[in-house]
Amino acid sequence: MALGSEGRDGFTTRFGIVCAAAGSAIGLGNIWRFPYVVGESGGGAFLLIYLAFVLMLGIPVMLSEFVIGRSAKRNAFGAFKKIAPATWWPLVGVIGIVAAFVILAFYSTIAGWTLHYVYLSVINGFKGASALDVTRIFESFQTSGAMPLFWQMIFIMLTAVIILSGVRKGIEKYSKVLMPFLVLLLIALSIRAVTLPGSVAGLHFLFNPDFSKITAPVILGALGQAFFSLSIGMGALITYASYFPDKTNLSSTSFQVSIADVLIAILAGVAIFPAMFALGMQPEEGGPGLIFMVLPNVFQHMPGGYIVSVAFFVLLAIAALTSSISIMEVVVAFLSEELKIARKSATLITVIAAAFVGMFSTLSWSTFKGTGIGDYNIFDLLDFTASNVLLPLGGLLIVIFVGWYMKQQTVKDELTNMGLLRMVVFMIGWYTKDDRTEEDRAKFTALRIRVYSVFMFIVRFIAPIAIAIIFLNAIGLIRI
Ligand code: PHE
């Protein structure tokens, strides 16, 4: 394991870095949340706005987190404290830690459902079930208190075990090999879904924008989905970037991760909507249970459905794990680095707290049925607070920090890897009496300097203004 200059764990291989960041981004957000939010928000038009947000806001926020994390080499709270001592900026880290708890709470509910579906797949629990039966199986599970709670606790414990096995060994190893398989399965599922009779309407729903469906809350929802799915706005990627080596190309990593994330979400959409229309379901009907009510039907109508079903839910659970470890790591890194609590105890504290809050989320459809605000139960409120409030707020503060507070030379050094390379060039020059041409030297410093001005313009002006407008518009303070 590579130890950084300050004795912290680090990622070792380039592939490992991209995979770990992608492992954080790719998870239930793409495969579970994306389809049901698209369904509730009217389809194609939402998809377009979401894509625009990923490109214009998501990638710059992700890159900002990378810059903060790698330059400070600290957890999300400590990074702000180190770069901006004696200011209020570390509060952004606090928002991130709160967001991490809220997300862990409801994320582990859905991940628990996924584990139960692994079990149901293994025992062939959907054999011969009609579409109506599949829905009933889901609803009776969702509304039974104990089972979902049991699986949720298993999932939280699994996350803790991986966290405790260390940064590189834990994260790198698990994310590397398995995700390509999930993508292959999604492709197979998509092919089956689009060849079901009556499926064309699903593709139409997903890809034909109907802008009459767009309202201010839908726009905020697209922003929330973009941020949630990219794992940005709460410091998960600040924490991960703090383990990146100096030679990692931050901008290309942010592009690669974001593009993979979007493609997998769209692939999930292509697997779900055609199947849903073929089954005669309405897109806004599904709610958080959407994939659990649709996919078992698709599995039944494909060759090798049993094995595909088992593999799919296992891989989905692993995708959820590689995301939840990045969420839990935000809290554990904070507790261990800032409050000097041993990693083991820090993990234990986090697990207990997350399990406690998570319980309320999982019991939203049973014990706490009817508790909530308006149409929103506890689960919905947790999800809304994290995705549509805390993450955009965190993202807003993160871009303002990088755009207006940080030393521009530091930002530039991080984006061009000059900090390290300048030293290397200097050292080589020293020993070789510097007989290289200007051109040779330029090669060392040319890393992605082109994106700098575009990036700066977005993080200074476009992103803060856009996020603020989307927010104020959704809560009705301004009307555009
Ligand atoms: N992006 C993850 C997913 O799509 C969830 C996540 C959100 C992870 C925020 C970290 C931080 O499943």
Side-chain angles (χ1 to χ4, degrees), residues 293-306:
M293 295 190 269
V294 171
L295 289 179
N297 295 297
V298 182
F299 297 136
Q300 291 209 58
H301 290 100
M302 66 196 285
Y306 173 81

Side-chain angles (χ1 to χ4, degrees), residues 24-30 103 107 228-231 234 236 323 326-327:
S24 168
I26 297 158
L28 296 172
N30 312 59
I103 296 176
Y107 205 79
F228 183 84
S229 187
L230 294 173
S231 301
M234 55 158 266
S323 300
S326 75
I327 307 171

Side-chain angles (χ1 to χ4, degrees), residues 335-385:
L335 292 176
S336 65
E337 289 181 15
E338 301 303 313
L339 306 185
K340 308 284 179 244
I341 299 172
R343 265 185 87 86
K344 239 196 188 129
S345 324
T347 310
L348 198 68
I349 295 170
T350 313
V351 162
I352 293 172
F356 179 75
V357 188
M359 218 168 62
F360 292 92
S361 151
T362 298
L363 298 179
S364 293
W365 295 272
S366 46
T367 319
F368 300 111
K369 195 172 163 113
T371 310
I373 302 175
D375 286 345
Y376 281 28
N377 63 20
I378 297 176
F379 173 90
D380 299 322
L381 289 173
L382 290 168
D383 185 350
F384 185 90
T385 309

